[in-house]
Amino acid sequence: MEIRADASVCIGAGMCALTVPKVFDQSEDEGTVVLLEKAPPAELEDAVRRAVTLCPSGAISVS
């Protein structure tokens, strides 16, 4: 799994950081998504997919 996060699309809802704080954070300046782990371990894949689903702006995607 590889994650892509587009801060220019992010609206700062924070669902990603709340759902998987080991993978996502928010910038202190703008509140937009910060990707901490581009290729997370397998045990976090389900949580990452949930974060993608919960993102209201569609700023996060996985492949």
Side-chain angles (χ1 to χ4, degrees):
M1 166 182 279
E2 184 175 324
I3 305 168
R4 288 177 301 282
D6 187 344
S8 69
V9 175
C10 179
I11 61 170
M15 294 308 298
C16 58
L18 291 171
T19 304
V20 198
K22 291 182 178 181
V23 177
F24 302 104
D25 198 358
Q26 289 180 273
S27 73
E28 290 192 25
D29 295 334
E30 299 170 4
T32 55
V33 63
V34 174
L35 186 59
L36 302 175
E37 186 79 41
K38 189 174 182 177
E43 64 266 12
L44 295 178
E45 286 186 9
D46 287 341
V48 169
R49 290 186 195 285
R50 179 152 172 74
V52 169
T53 302
L54 292 173
C55 179
S57 66
I60 304 167
S61 60
V62 294
S63 60

